[in-house]
Amino acid sequence: MRVLVVEDEHKISAYVKRGLEEAGYAVDAVFTGPEALEWADAAPYDAIVLDILLPGMDGLSVCREFRRRGMRAPVLMLTARDTIDDRVAGLDSGADDYLVKPFAMRELLARVRALARRAGDQPRTTTLRVADLTMDTLTRRVRRGHRMIQLTAKEYAVLECLMRGPERVLTRSMIAEHVWSYAAVNQSNVVDVYIRNLRRKIDDPSDLKLIHTVRGAGYRLSPGEEENG
Ligand code: CA
């Protein structure tokens, strides 16, 4: 098992590295986001321990970039703060789990073990499909036919919400809760903005429109004809 540790504070990095090594992992430690991307590109890791607070490129950006590049290694995010917003931001960026500093080594080891085990159990791909639109929830790749579609983390989350309930009418607040946590209210017009972006990327180039507005209710993802109503 190989683990990549990304943390700029050398004391914490050394502590985590030593703990993981004593538990039998092979550990590489890097100190910046760009280094993390370089190392993760070069070698497959069973898990990545990633601190949010890094100089320059922060952990959230690093994690988003891992996922954009199709890296599947599970990511355990480390953070000094513990608020719902932080958790949502971490998970939205593609992290699998979240650990608040200061933490006990035993807990870090348990989380890493669980992540590596879950990754090993997972099927190689998990694909959601509606007509010729596909979403691989492991690599976070989205395609319309053979066309690869680049989405931001939030656009991806909105689309995932629609793709997990095809043919269902989803209200703006259902989508907002999925994407911006339960604390989010009054996100309705923000949802409209993301839907507009998704239409531009997914539907505009195709004759078959998939994203439908259900007037007075919300949105529906379906290959069927749009209803008037
Ligand atoms: Ca740090």
Side-chain angles (χ1 to χ4, degrees):
M1 292 289 224
R2 288 193 84 74
V3 179
L4 180 66
V5 175
V6 190
E7 161 67 278
D8 60 308
E9 286 157 82
H10 285 244
K11 257 171 121 169
I12 297 176
S13 170
Y15 168 70
V16 170
K17 185 172 194 285
R18 193 172 58 243
L20 286 165
E21 281 174 348
E22 282 171 7
Y25 295 95
V27 181
D28 294 319
V30 297
F31 306 100
T32 67
E35 279 178 310
L37 291 168
E38 198 178 308
W39 282 66
D41 254 341
Y45 288 96
D46 298 290
I48 297 172
V49 178
L50 175 62
D51 189 43
I52 285 193
L53 209 64
L54 297 169
M57 187 179 193
D58 71 11
L60 296 172
S61 312
V62 173
C63 193
R64 273 193 293 271
E65 186 60 20
F66 280 153
R67 297 310 184 219
R68 201 187 62 77
R69 295 184 185 188
M71 292 175 196
R72 297 170 180 180
V75 170
L76 174 63
M77 201 76 101
L78 301 182
T79 179
R81 296 177 308 172
D82 184 21
T83 69
I84 290 180
D85 280 348
D86 290 333
R87 284 170 190 262
V88 170
L91 298 174
D92 269 353
S93 74
D96 301 87
D97 200 1
Y98 189 95
L99 188 60
V100 179
K101 293 176 177 175
F103 50 83
M105 182 53 67
R106 277 178 54 211
E107 180 167 16
L108 180 115
L109 292 174
R111 302 281 185 111
V112 168
R113 243 188 340 264
L115 282 183
R117 193 169 53 227
R118 223 186 295 160
D121 289 347
Q122 271 173 3
R124 297 296 289 173
T125 61
T126 311
T127 305
L128 302 173
R129 180 186 298 274
V130 174
D132 60 347
L133 176 66
T134 57
M135 167 181 280
D136 183 328
T137 58
L138 284 187
T139 62
R140 299 173 75 84
R141 285 206 168 112
V142 176
R143 283 195 170 82
R144 182 86 200 254
H146 294 294
R147 187 164 53 91
M148 180 84 100
I149 298 171
Q150 299 290 348
L151 300 178
T152 66
K154 289 281 191 286
E155 289 165 1
Y156 179 94
V158 171
L159 181 64
E160 183 181 17
C161 188
L162 289 167
M163 290 194 78
R164 286 192 183 278
E167 303 293 345
R168 271 174 65 204
V169 176
L170 298 176
T171 65
R172 290 174 176 81
S173 57
M174 285 162 79
I175 296 170
E177 280 178 11
H178 171 82
V179 177
W180 286 275
S181 93
Y182 296 94
V185 284
N186 279 333
Q187 298 281 10
S188 304
N189 37 10
V190 181
V191 170
D192 293 342
V193 171
Y194 282 96
I195 292 283
R196 203 152 53 229
N197 291 348
L198 286 171
R199 279 198 163 123
R200 186 169 47 76
K201 292 181 177 180
I202 287 164
D203 275 350
D204 282 2
S206 297
D207 289 332
L208 179 66
K209 308 303 179 196
L210 299 177
I211 301 172
H212 303 289
T213 304
V214 182
R215 202 161 303 162
Y219 294 102
R220 188 163 53 92
L221 191 69
S222 162
E225 286 296 303
E226 191 151 357
E227 288 163 21
N228 294 316

